[in-house]
Amino acid sequence: MDNDGATKIIIHADERIAPINPNIYGHFIEHLGGCIYDGIWVGPDSNIPNANGIRLDVVDALKKIKVPVIRWPGGCFADTYRWQDGIGPRDKRPVRLNIWWGGEEPNAFGSHEFFQLCDMLNAEAYICCNVGSGTPAQMMDWVEYLNSESTTTTITKLRAKNGHPEAFGFRLLGVGNESWGCGGNMTPQQYANEFSKFATFISAPNSQYMIKIASGANGDDYDWTRRFLDTISGRACGCKQSRLPLVRGYAFHYYCGTAGTSTKFTELQWYELLEKALYIEEILLRHRTIMDEFDPQRHIELICDEWGTWHPAESLDARKRCMQQSTLRDAVVAALTLDIFNRHADKITMANIAQMVNVLQSMILTDGSKMVVTPTYHVYEMYAPHQAGTAVPLRITTSKITRDADRTRPHKILDSVMGSCSIKGDQLTLSIVNINPKKYADVDVDIRGVSTAGLKQWRVLTGDIHAHNTFEAPDTIKPTEKPTTDKKLLLDPSSVNVFTYDLGST
Ligand code: AHR
């Protein structure tokens, strides 16, 4: 196999972009397909080892990737969710139709179970409330149930009766989901007004510190962002009154979709999907630029609370809805995306890949008692050292990949090697992806601004571009270590690499 010529990486270790919010490595679970039921919740009577119904094999695996935050209960499901259905004795909880994803919702997994999962993973809770079909009063009651430190109101007494006298305490509140679509098919102006109303009534004691997150644009719909901000800031009507301070977060969604299917794709389709994934950088920058016009001090956090690949359905069964295999290609999508988020740590504070188990670009697949981790899971495990590090700038000079294809969008020339870098204490973490499936990349890393930088570890995830793990062959693709003694860093074709350096003083 060919070598793709020299790649030069210059790291400015004495400069800083911003701290990397660990929540950039966040997750999302929804009452969709096998995500909650089977994937996370099996019930206390299951033969599958569990803690009060939450399966332990899944939790043990997730602990290794250091889940910082989990968004729940949706997604589209959130705008149909009645929170009261998910509390109290499980055998008395109502069974409802899941109008978005098919099948029936038993409500066995509700607020208490969600917070138990967060506790087990030491993860922050991010609740998405029902704006589309709910009311501010229902949302107020839910926030009181979860956050109020009172023990004497009717709602907090109910919480105690259900086994949790203390407040659960959460900070991140999503005000609806995809309001432009399944969240109510609203216009940005209409949603801005709904947002203000809901955000105003989140007034239970101790809720002042809450980060109220607006449901933002679909991908590159910059018009939505502008119109939402125009309305809520009062600019559109020339009003003196600005409701902008109510907004503490603004969350867009971007699914890069597919090219081919999850496991069947050509080399051209490999590049096609990577290019679509890389588009998130432009989307992020352009939303931030519009936000900066209205909020130059960046009081409003930019968030991407759904992202990932979305391949054609593999099953028509509602319990397997949106379940897809994940190959090395998905892992490379994850790595490139996380590198983009790291490099823009000054602009984005949270991102939640969709979804954690059995749905879309998941970390884990389950089938009854069987469980397997995906290549995307391995990227999250390898990239965990970036969490809470400080992003530092790097400049990569590398070869370009050009290709001729029948295209509907402008063709972009892709860099062969991309990555990001962070420093935590005296450790520098450098992640680099070689997207070329045919050529090695010969890399020279020049770390500037420190007296010494000794390579301590080099981990790599690589294989055939279609490689994936199955219940029968769970270790087909997993990280391996490379020797750190070689002077030359020769990246494997189609590989995700994480280098750890011990630093001298900056
Ligand atoms: O993640 C699956 C679905 O994708 C979510 O429910 C919705 O918000 C998005 O369209």
Side-chain angles (χ1 to χ4, degrees), residues 3-8 267 271 278 395-404 411-418 434-437 439-441:
N3 181 326
D4 202 18
T7 291
K8 176 91 183 165
E267 190 181 305
Y271 283 125
L278 289 165
R395 187 150 39 90
I396 303 182
T397 314
T398 187
S399 60
K400 305 286 175 196
I401 292 167
T402 51
R403 66 209 157 80
D404 298 320
H411 183 159
K412 213 172 148 198
I413 296 167
L414 303 176
D415 285 342
S416 310
V417 173
M418 288 169 264
N434 175 15
I435 66 167
N436 195 322
K439 293 182 177 174
Y440 289 89

Side-chain angles (χ1 to χ4, degrees), residues 28 30 32 75-76 101 177-178 253 255 306 310 354-355 360:
F28 167 37
E30 179 169 11
L32 191 182
C76 294
W101 305 114
N177 169 73
E178 296 194 350
H253 289 176
Y255 287 98
E306 287 186 31
W310 195 319
Q355 298 190 7
L360 301 176

